[in-house]
Amino acid sequence: GSTDKTEKLIQKFSKTHSGLKVITIAHGGKLAAIRQGVNLAKGEIILFTDFDQSTPIAEVEKVFEKFSQGADIVIANRWKNFHDWSFFHILRSRSFNFFTQLVILPNISDTQCGFKAFKNNIARKLFSTLKVSNYKEKVKFMGAFDVELLFLARKLGFKIESIYVYWQAFKSDRLTASEPLKMFRDIIKIRLLDLVGKYKI
């Protein structure tokens, strides 16, 4: 669904760098793109990251270290080293995380940083088990699929480790005014589904 030059840039880059495969799919939102990547990835570790490099790819070294120490999933935390974030964005993100911890994911202080890594088999299992996050909308709605992934990971007993990363905000029109409300709605749905036993894993 991107309307900028992302695809052209990565196609050009892939022609001069080995080990890359560019996949183009029908517009289905961020989750659909990540899920397709997960389904096609062949490495031992699957990392998804934002193309704008708000978290630099060099931070992956910290990810590898955590996996070598026995982690199943490694997630990034922006709260020690973030830049160019407005007070409003900080307040919104903090409020969302407080609500998330209160309702569904205690002791995870940053669920939304777009820099997460999984063992391959674990990623496939988690993405195939999503219920609330199976979005059908072809709109600029990224949703709370990160929260559901981590909720399922905990439910299955996987070891989740967090790393502090450098993070810089870049202006984007991806996050709409209604998105936080939809994300709150999704978190409530996840909790309700769990309470009525729909996550039979």
Side-chain angles (χ1 to χ4, degrees):
S2 296
T3 56
D4 56 21
K5 296 179 181 179
T6 298
E7 185 180 356
K8 287 183 179 178
L9 286 169
I10 196 65
Q11 290 281 12
K12 182 179 179 182
F13 186 82
S14 68
K15 289 177 181 177
T16 55
H17 294 77
S18 62
L20 296 178
K21 184 174 183 179
V22 182
I23 308 297
T24 302
I25 65 170
H27 178 24
K30 183 176 182 177
L31 175 60
I34 293 174
R35 180 183 273 137
Q36 183 78 338
V38 167
N39 290 337
L40 294 172
K42 295 183 172 149
E44 294 178 17
I45 294 170
I46 295 175
L47 168 80
F48 66 78
T49 182
D50 295 325
F51 189 71
D52 64 10
Q53 290 295 278
S54 48
T55 300
I57 195 63
E59 296 283 16
V60 78
E61 295 298 331
K62 298 175 186 176
V63 171
F64 293 149
E65 183 177 353
K66 287 293 184 183
F67 278 112
S68 71
Q69 295 169 0
D72 295 314
I73 298 165
V74 181
I75 62 175
N77 188 317
R78 300 164 287 182
W79 291 110
K80 271 192 176 180
N81 197 3
F82 60 89
H83 298 268
D84 300 327
W85 228 3
S86 69
F87 174 77
F88 171 73
H89 285 100
I90 293 172
L91 179 63
R92 180 176 64 189
S93 185
R94 284 296 201 188
S95 298
F96 177 78
N97 185 258
F98 174 79
F99 180 78
T100 302
Q101 289 197 65
L102 184 67
V103 174
I104 201 168
L105 275 176
N107 302 319
I108 294 184
S109 59
D110 191 355
T111 59
Q112 296 311 111
C113 184
F115 195 85
K116 293 182 174 69
F118 308 76
K119 288 182 178 177
N120 190 310
N121 62 319
I122 290 174
R124 290 173 183 271
K125 184 172 186 65
L126 293 177
F127 276 88
S128 67
T129 313
L130 292 174
K131 293 184 181 296
V132 172
S133 304
N134 283 319
Y135 310 120
K136 305 300 181 184
E137 306 167 73
K138 294 183 180 179
V139 294
K140 296 175 182 177
F141 175 49
M142 292 180 282
F145 72 90
D146 304 70
V147 175
E148 191 174 12
L149 283 172
L150 295 176
F151 168 76
L152 290 168
R154 269 203 175 161
K155 198 168 182 67
L156 286 161
F158 295 128
K159 185 177 180 182
I160 304 170
E161 293 286 354
S162 179
I163 55 169
Y164 286 109
V165 295
Y166 176 91
W167 191 84
Q168 183 173 5
F170 290 101
K171 289 183 179 179
S172 171
D173 64 352
R174 291 279 176 183
L175 188 62
T176 63
S178 65
E179 177 140 348
L181 295 176
K182 291 180 179 179
M183 291 168 73
F184 284 132
R185 174 202 66 192
D186 282 1
I187 290 172
I188 294 295
K189 282 183 178 179
I190 294 167
R191 171 53 68 204
L192 291 175
L193 286 179
D194 186 43
L195 289 173
V196 298
K198 293 296 185 181
Y199 289 108
K200 294 179 181 178
I201 303 173

